Amino acid sequence: MLTNTFSAVDTPSNAAWTILDTEDQWQAFSKPVLNQDIQSTQQLVQSDLLLDGLRCAACSGIIEQGLKSTPGIVSARVSMSKKRAVVVWSPSATLPSKILTAIHDLGYSAFPATQHEDDLASLQKQRAAFWRWMVSGFCMMQVMMYASPTYFTTPGEISSDILHLLNWASWLLSLPVLLFSSSAFFSNALRDLKQQQISMDLPVALGIIITFIVSSAATFDPSGWWGNTVYFDSLTMFVFFLLSARLVEVKLHRKTLGALDNLASRIPENTERQNPDGTFTRVLNTKLKVGDIVRVQIGEAFPADGKIISGNTSVDESLLTGESTPIQKNLHDEVIAGSYNLRQPVCITLNTIGESTKYGQIVNLINNAAVEKPRLSKLADRVARPFLIFVMLSAAGAAALLWNIDHGRALMTAAAVLIVTCPCALSLATPAAMLASASAFVKRGILIKRIQAIENIADIDTIIFDKTGTLTEDHIQIKAIATKAGLTESAALTLAAAVAQHSMHPISRALANAHKASGLSAPQAGVNYVELTDIEETSGAGISATIKTSTADALEHSAAGNELKLGSAIFCGITETNNHTQQVYLANKQGWLATFTLQEAIKHNAALAIASLKEAKLAIELLSGDRSNAVENTATQVGITQFQSACSPEDKLLRLQALKGEGKKVLMVGDGLNDGPILASAHVSIAMGKGVPLTLAHADYVFLNGDISQIPHLIRHAKQTMKIIKENIAWAIVYNLISIPLAFFGILSAWLAGLGMAVSSLIVVANALRLTKFSSSETDTHSDQSRS
């Protein structure tokens, strides 16, 4: 467990960070990089960090560039919206303390991304923001009270002494707003200057300083060349409006990410673990090990994947699978981490813990997707910095034009230009909408592995479907078994299951399940296990293996060949005898051993989904490795007219490349494992996630519940997301096109500029908030299908 040596809010010293340099400490917020895209002989580690001090898109770019230039760091991705960084580094070349120091030197704060630190940091920052907002609001009301006489009187009605006294009172009340409420703007602006960078808070800080200086000069010397007009009311109103907008923005943003945050924090911090004497003691989940027995109370989430060994209950897996109906779990049934126990306490044996659980894989995918920058967001990042430079030059130009007319008015016009044109809305336009949609997908049991996939799926015009496990149910059944003379059905099934257990293909799972259901694996069946070596799976064809041991008398005949093949007729080197049913074959060196006739059911909602996709003017194709008759029957039942059978993975890739050569944008839908090459090559891809390890699914989306009827809704929602992103970007552009000239010519005052900037950001986030759920008609349809 990560030692809580320092606060998640107060910036620790470099000495405090060194506690994280031991491997047992940094492992709490890090994991090894298994599939290294970068050519390196060194083992790399990926660490998740929480960031503080980010205000706009430019901040994320500053941190990314700074980290990438640090020795030992291979890559860095920063999400401004989630305030997180994913850093890939080499333990042999650097240490966590050096990474955190590098971020600190850039002017930002960083902490290990453990859930406890995340919650603590979030709570402390919210409290600090609330108090800054309260102080600015109180002072603003008082300043407005002192400034109100000047709003309703003509020059000369109030004596100069009274006006001077009111100005001094306003000056005193503006000091807390300047020194406390605005402190974050100044610290961030100072950091930018030190780094020779420009971000959103720099023009805001300059606008506040200019307004205060001009007003203070008029207060100290009313007859001076600065003029006699004070703008303390504009200053305090601007700060109050901006802080108000940020508070509301945080609340709205948390709502858009609600499903993601709920999922990431679902596991309880402690669980009741059984002691050797049979009693139970609450321990931290970091202390749990595989094989431990734990007791889960009503309303608690299961801490890991396991099997029920005492009691029975109902569980809620809705946030993990999208299924809203409670699921009955009896003795010896499997439960998954993150699902809720609803009915009564149960005891489970832990089979998988930590990131290896399905829940852990889901959370990792969500966090990785959240820090990815989609193409439109990267464009906004590139535009933000030059736009800020343009704002600074525009403010200077406005001040220069009016300087000889009125010094005070010149500076206040510059302040208004600086304040009104900050690109907050532009920076938020894309990430706010993308993450809002990601949270909506999670609620429906849809995982998005790459945020860019939202834009990609909105552009598709062609869909390729696999058959088995995609259009058909993944629980294929063994209808009949034919064997070679002298080989019993039970022996053939035992051999086939021994080979099949090393594959996640639906047919392999069907053979393994049939063997388990027959009871042949039990000791009383009189058949011992078959130990295999040299196991090799050929995607789309079958599995080969060598028998190492076979002690059962019933298997001696089949063991003579020593080598087994399970798969298609071509793969097994035999001649097909039946073209009308789906079959899988078992063979050895001597030839055919057994034929397993399969039967599979079409998913009840497949035809409806295909019809809906056709209504959307999408071209549909079916590519399958199965025999022509089985593929034709499936295509006919679901309404697909374009199909190919007996396709190898290479054949599927060739068809995909041909479609791409025609300029088609192709969505591939497969079972997530044996369709890996084509899933990875398609414009965008979906994997049916039931029973498939998420780390092996080479897809952009994973449907945890395998519900194919959600594809039309997903595409519609992606199109709606892109529409809202374009609306947000258009609003940000139009707002600036209107506000810059108004501020430049002095029509827009500083407080109105602040209000306009705040409101523009709120409009963008509120518009994105519409994406946190699918439309009511889609939700109703999904609910009806779930009930059926």
Side-chain angles (χ1 to χ4, degrees):
M1 184 184 70
L2 182 65
T3 304
N4 191 18
T5 309
F6 50 83
S7 166
V9 179
D10 299 329
T11 303
S13 64
N14 292 3
W17 277 326
T18 58
I19 191 71
L20 303 176
D21 290 343
T22 58
E23 186 172 351
D24 63 327
Q25 291 292 324
W26 56 252
Q27 279 183 342
F29 57 95
S30 308
K31 62 180 179 181
V33 178
L34 300 178
N35 300 317
Q36 298 182 15
D37 296 328
I38 303 167
Q39 298 297 324
S40 174
T41 58
Q42 300 176 341
Q43 177 59 50
L44 302 179
V45 172
Q46 176 179 299
S47 295
D48 293 336
L49 304 176
L50 298 174
L51 303 174
D52 192 17
L54 280 74
R55 296 301 175 197
C56 67
C59 298
S60 60
I62 292 170
I63 297 176
E64 285 180 353
Q65 294 302 318
L67 287 176
K68 289 176 183 177
S69 63
T70 302
I73 296 179
V74 176
S75 67
R77 290 181 297 156
V78 175
S79 168
M80 185 197 76
S81 55
K82 292 217 61 166
K83 304 295 190 294
R84 296 178 73 98
V86 174
V87 183
V88 177
W89 54 284
S90 171
S92 62
T94 189
L95 294 169
S97 61
K98 295 181 179 179
I99 298 174
L100 295 173
T101 300
I103 296 175
H104 180 262
D105 292 343
L106 292 171
Y108 301 87
S109 300
F111 312 95
T114 61
Q115 188 58 43
H116 173 73
E117 299 292 345
D118 194 0
D119 293 341
L120 180 59
S122 178
L123 179 61
Q124 294 291 346
K125 286 189 289 185
Q126 286 182 26
R127 287 177 177 173
F130 177 76
W131 279 110
R132 285 195 292 268
W133 174 77
M134 283 287 291
V135 169
S136 67
F138 174 80
C139 293
M140 179 200 68
M141 288 189 292
Q142 302 304 312
V143 170
M144 290 294 294
M145 182 180 66
Y146 293 134
S148 59
T150 62
Y151 301 157
F152 310 108
T153 59
T154 58
E157 285 190 63
I158 303 177
S159 66
S160 59
D161 292 340
I162 296 297
L163 284 176
H164 197 49
L165 180 61
L166 292 175
N167 290 345
W168 270 106
S170 297
W171 181 82
L172 289 172
L173 287 166
S174 298
L175 288 177
V177 177
L178 179 76
L179 302 177
F180 176 66
S181 298
S182 305
S183 58
F185 304 133
F186 297 136
S187 60
N188 294 334
L190 183 61
R191 173 203 64 209
D192 296 336
L193 291 174
K194 288 181 179 179
Q195 299 297 325
Q196 298 181 347
Q197 299 285 348
I198 297 177
S199 68
M200 185 195 75
D201 281 338
L202 181 57
V204 169
L206 286 175
I208 294 172
I209 286 292
I210 291 172
T211 305
F212 185 77
I213 289 175
V214 171
S215 301
S216 297
T219 301
F220 297 156
D221 186 9
S223 59
W225 63 279
W226 292 92
N228 59 3
T229 305
V230 297
Y231 302 92
F232 293 120
D233 53 347
S234 295
L235 169 66
T236 54
M237 288 173 68
F238 159 62
V239 174
F240 176 74
F241 288 147
L242 185 54
L243 293 178
S244 299
R246 289 195 174 180
L247 276 179
V248 176
E249 182 183 312
V250 167
K251 290 185 179 294
L252 292 177
H253 201 186
R254 287 187 67 84
K255 188 171 182 180
T256 64
L257 299 176
L260 304 183
D261 293 337
N262 288 340
L263 183 61
S265 59
R266 194 160 193 175
I267 298 293
E269 291 187 1
N270 52 71
T271 306
E272 290 183 276
R273 183 177 64 183
Q274 189 177 53
N275 300 317
D277 61 359
T279 61
F280 288 88
T281 304
R282 282 207 170 267
V283 298
L284 293 172
N285 285 339
T286 53
K287 301 295 184 182
L288 296 177
K289 299 178 181 178
V290 173
D292 283 349
I293 296 175
V294 301
R295 182 169 62 193
V296 180
Q297 300 291 342
I298 300 174
E300 286 187 336
F302 291 96
D305 294 347
K307 179 184 292 185
I308 295 178
I309 61 172
S310 173
N312 58 76
T313 187
S314 297
V315 300
D316 174 13
E317 297 181 352
S318 60
L319 201 54
L320 296 173
T321 65
E323 298 290 349
S324 58
T325 305
I327 302 171
Q328 176 66 28
K329 296 290 183 178
N330 299 316
L331 193 65
H332 305 312
D333 283 349
E334 303 284 343
V335 293
I336 57 177
S339 59
Y340 283 119
N341 181 18
L342 299 179
R343 201 173 67 194
Q344 66 178 11
V346 293
C347 293
I348 66 170
T349 299
L350 304 186
N351 297 332
T352 311
I353 61 174
E355 293 185 354
S356 299
T357 64
K358 188 174 184 179
Y359 169 87
Q361 295 175 40
I362 290 172
V363 171
N364 283 334
L365 290 180
I366 287 174
N367 287 333
N368 288 338
V371 297
E372 183 199 0
K373 289 186 178 180
R375 185 164 53 241
L376 287 175
S377 185
K378 291 178 180 178
L379 178 62
D381 290 355
R382 290 195 296 268
V383 170
R385 190 170 185 271
F387 181 76
L388 284 169
I389 294 175
F390 167 76
V391 169
M392 306 283 284
L393 294 176
S394 298
L401 289 174
L402 295 172
W403 187 257
N404 293 329
I405 301 173
D406 187 332
H407 300 322
R409 181 186 170 193
L411 291 175
M412 287 307 299
T413 300
V417 172
L418 290 170
I419 293 168
V420 79
T421 54
C422 286
C424 304
L426 185 62
S427 298
L428 290 170
T430 298
M434 291 285 195
L435 290 173
S437 286
S439 70
F441 297 155
V442 168
K443 295 173 186 176
R444 303 274 295 212
I446 300 173
L447 273 187
I448 179 170
K449 298 179 68 177
R450 284 171 282 276
I451 289 290
Q452 179 60 40
I454 296 176
E455 181 179 350
N456 292 345
I457 202 169
D459 295 335
I460 64 158
D461 50 35
T462 305
I463 304 179
I464 296 177
F465 283 96
D466 179 44
K467 182 178 76 69
T468 304
T470 304
L471 294 173
T472 62
E473 299 288 356
D474 59 359
H475 49 274
I476 299 172
Q477 296 179 337
I478 308 301
K479 184 178 181 181
I481 303 176
T483 62
K484 184 178 181 179
L487 181 64
T488 65
E489 289 186 8
S490 61
L493 185 57
T494 298
L495 284 171
V499 179
Q501 67 178 338
H502 299 285
S503 170
M504 292 301 298
H505 192 279
I507 294 178
S508 297
R509 294 202 300 273
L511 288 166
N513 291 337
H515 181 253
K516 182 179 179 181
S518 67
L520 293 174
S521 57
Q524 61 267 27
V527 180
N528 294 320
Y529 69 93
V530 180
E531 190 173 350
L532 303 175
T533 60
D534 303 325
I535 302 160
E536 182 178 353
E537 181 171 9
T538 302
S539 182
I543 315 171
S544 61
T546 301
I547 298 179
K548 183 177 181 182
T549 19
S550 180
T551 57
D553 294 339
L555 302 180
E556 287 180 357
H557 179 84
S558 61
N562 201 35
E563 182 182 359
L564 290 176
K565 285 187 175 183
L566 178 69
S568 66
I570 296 175
F571 179 76
C572 293
I574 61 178
T575 303
E576 272 186 302
T577 58
N578 190 334
N579 293 322
H580 301 291
T581 58
Q582 185 176 7
Q583 295 177 329
V584 64
Y585 301 90
L586 180 69
N588 62 6
K589 285 185 177 180
Q590 280 67 45
W592 174 77
L593 291 177
T595 299
F596 301 90
T597 301
L598 311 172
Q599 62 179 9
E600 56 184 346
I602 305 295
K603 289 185 176 179
H604 74 280
N605 47 21
L608 184 63
I610 298 300
S612 180
L613 293 170
K614 285 184 174 180
E615 288 178 5
K617 308 300 182 184
L618 296 172
I620 311 294
E621 295 190 16
L622 170 59
L623 302 181
S624 175
D626 293 339
R627 66 180 70 251
S628 59
N629 187 269
V631 175
E632 184 178 358
N633 288 339
T634 300
T636 301
Q637 291 184 57
V638 300
I640 297 178
T641 56
Q642 179 70 32
F643 58 88
Q644 294 183 32
S645 58
C647 292
S648 66
E650 291 75 18
D651 294 333
K652 293 182 180 181
L653 274 177
L654 287 174
R655 179 55 183 163
L656 173 64
Q657 291 166 359
L659 289 170
K660 292 170 72 174
E662 297 172 7
K664 303 292 187 182
K665 300 292 181 66
V666 182
L667 164 64
M668 175 64 198
V669 186
D671 63 12
L673 189 59
N674 64 322
D675 291 315
I678 191 172
L679 286 171
S681 302
H683 184 66
V684 63
S685 54
I686 296 173
M688 299 294 113
K690 275 194 171 181
V692 178
L694 298 178
T695 53
L696 299 180
H698 306 281
D700 300 299
Y701 297 91
V702 178
F703 283 15
L704 296 175
N705 54 15
D707 185 1
I708 194 175
S709 67
Q710 297 199 87
I711 295 177
H713 305 321
L714 172 62
I715 296 173
R716 282 197 294 268
H717 197 79
K719 291 181 181 293
Q720 177 69 5
T721 301
M722 298 312 300
K723 177 183 176 183
I724 285 181
I725 288 175
K726 292 173 183 177
E727 289 175 357
N728 286 346
I729 293 176
W731 161 253
I733 293 173
V734 170
Y735 160 76
N736 280 286
L737 288 176
I738 294 173
S739 59
I740 289 177
L742 292 177
F744 189 88
F745 293 107
I747 300 173
L748 202 63
S749 63
W751 74 269
L752 275 175
L755 180 60
M757 188 189 74
V759 169
S760 68
S761 298
L762 289 180
I763 288 175
V764 165
V765 177
N767 197 29
L769 193 63
R770 297 160 52 196
L771 295 168
T772 55
K773 59 178 68 177
F774 283 15
S775 67
S776 57
S777 59
E778 294 174 14
T779 304
D780 294 342
T781 301
H782 177 68
S783 300
D784 293 340
Q785 291 168 345
S786 298
R787 286 193 294 270
S788 63

